[in-house]
Amino acid sequence: MSGPAAPLYLDDLASGQRFETGERALTEAEIIAFARQWDPQYFHTDPEAARASPYDGLIASGFHTLLTAFVLSLETDVWRAASMGSPGMAEIAWLRPVRPGDRLRCVFEVLSVTPSRSRPDRGRAEIAYQVLNQAGERVMRYRATHILRRRPEEG
Amino acid sequence: MSGPAAPLYLDDLASGQRFETGERALTEAEIIAFARQWDPQYFHTDPEAARASPYDGLIASGFHTLLTAFVLSLETDVWRAASMGSPGMAEIAWLRPVRPGDRLRCVFEVLSVTPSRSRPDRGRAEIAYQVLNQAGERVMRYRATHILRRRPEEG
């Protein structure tokens, strides 16, 4: 399933729903630029030195992978319109290196939907994300909690 | 305790050690620029619209807070020299909004140190991070697993 045609609210999501994002490639220049700013470790910033690293070549910062997945999931519009932010994430795992030229996409599944008891305008959706490369291999997974607006009652 | 004088290896870390980073302020321009690229939600990118949001004003993307804390912790040199990357993070919680002008710093504590049984050159350190603002309030916490090189035997 791809993104929705109309803005979704918490009420439109249900446990078990699955969504798929578009795809984005990470170039060597992007990997290095990101890492210089946010994760300046040599195996993310220096292709030459990275060849002598445990990764045998340059790899993307795990944060670069995470943020790419996050933007791709935002762009599906599944939860963008209803989003009121997030209290947290869990179980972030980097499973395989992401290398220059790799094309990432994301599949995500709604784990639970819980209306707030104290605030009737919102609730929580727990979503499990998997990030895949162009070979269909899982490179990362994480879970996120989203605070989402409920559909306003018609008055 | 601040950062070390000499490069550290896994062997130099022990459960219970605490470290403290320097401080970094997030300007409104930085918050907006980061969010436009990596978290384009209106309460991170549009000061005017953000005033009508649940946050009553612009707040930094939680990822901006996370990456700022990560860079600050890297800059202590506690684990930079020994770092061989990370398999994952856990229990990321955003506890309070971060607003333009807030100054962030980070305290972190070693939870456990586990030499690898299969690879004698490395091991895992589990570290708990807390991100504080200029008032000493906790704005975020997370745990990270670091793969760190062991001190080479002298030959």
Side-chain angles (χ1 to χ4, degrees):
Chain A
M1 185 177 175
S2 300
L8 297 183
Y9 291 95
L10 181 77
D11 313 77
D12 298 307
L13 297 181
S15 167
Q17 284 176 331
R18 287 173 65 90
F19 301 93
E20 188 167 338
T21 72
E23 186 178 82
R24 181 171 299 182
L26 300 191
T27 67
E28 181 177 284
E30 288 167 340
I31 287 171
I32 292 171
F34 181 93
R36 280 194 180 144
Q37 187 168 14
W38 296 117
D39 193 353
Q41 301 190 75
Y42 71 99
F43 42 84
H44 301 316
T45 59
D46 183 339
E48 182 77 22
R51 276 198 280 279
S53 82
Y55 300 106
D56 191 27
L58 196 78
I59 64 169
S61 166
F63 296 119
H64 197 175
T65 303
L66 171 61
L67 288 172
T68 299
F70 182 78
V71 167
L72 287 170
S73 71
L74 188 63
E75 287 172 350
T76 61
D77 287 330
V78 167
W79 48 261
R80 190 206 297 248
S83 175
M84 300 171 81
S86 168
M89 298 174 62
E91 294 173 25
I92 292 184
W94 290 290
L95 305 166
R96 273 170 196 274
V98 172
R99 300 187 184 276
D102 279 359
R103 299 191 307 277
L104 302 181
R105 66 194 166 87
C106 197
V107 294
F108 55 102
E109 178 172 344
V110 179
L111 297 179
S112 65
V113 176
T114 312
S116 169
R117 278 192 270 190
S118 57
R119 298 184 167 191
D121 66 337
R122 68 191 70 174
R124 285 174 181 234
E126 190 83 8
I127 301 183
Y129 293 84
Q130 314 223 38
V131 190
L132 309 172
N133 65 17
Q134 67 279 3
E137 298 164 327
R138 257 191 343 169
V139 299
M140 182 180 186
R141 62 180 158 76
Y142 62 98
R143 286 195 295 113
T145 304
H146 299 263
I147 306 295
L148 300 180
R149 210 177 291 277
R150 300 198 63 181
R151 184 179 301 282
E153 293 188 29
E154 302 191 15
Chain B
M1 183 177 177
S2 303
L8 298 183
Y9 291 94
L10 181 78
D11 313 78
D12 297 307
L13 298 181
S15 169
Q17 284 177 329
R18 288 172 64 90
F19 301 92
E20 188 168 338
T21 71
E23 187 178 79
R24 180 172 300 183
L26 301 191
T27 68
E28 181 177 283
E30 287 167 341
I31 286 171
I32 293 171
F34 180 93
R36 279 194 181 144
Q37 186 167 14
W38 296 115
D39 192 352
Q41 301 190 75
Y42 71 98
F43 42 83
H44 301 316
T45 59
D46 182 338
E48 182 78 20
R51 276 198 281 278
S53 82
Y55 300 106
D56 191 28
L58 195 78
I59 64 169
S61 166
F63 295 119
H64 197 174
T65 303
L66 171 61
L67 289 172
T68 299
F70 183 79
V71 167
L72 286 169
S73 72
L74 188 63
E75 288 171 351
T76 62
D77 287 331
V78 167
W79 47 260
R80 189 205 299 247
S83 175
M84 300 171 82
S86 168
M89 298 174 62
E91 294 173 25
I92 292 184
W94 290 290
L95 306 167
R96 275 170 195 274
V98 173
R99 300 186 185 277
D102 279 359
R103 299 192 307 277
L104 302 181
R105 65 194 167 87
C106 197
V107 293
F108 55 102
E109 177 171 345
V110 179
L111 297 179
S112 66
V113 176
T114 312
S116 168
R117 278 191 270 189
S118 57
R119 299 185 168 191
D121 66 338
R122 67 191 71 176
R124 287 174 178 233
E126 190 83 9
I127 300 184
Y129 293 84
Q130 315 224 36
V131 190
L132 309 172
N133 65 18
Q134 67 279 3
E137 298 164 327
R138 256 192 343 170
V139 298
M140 182 178 185
R141 62 180 158 74
Y142 62 98
R143 286 196 295 114
T145 305
H146 299 263
I147 306 294
L148 300 180
R149 210 178 291 278
R150 300 197 64 181
R151 185 179 300 283
E153 293 187 27
E154 302 191 17

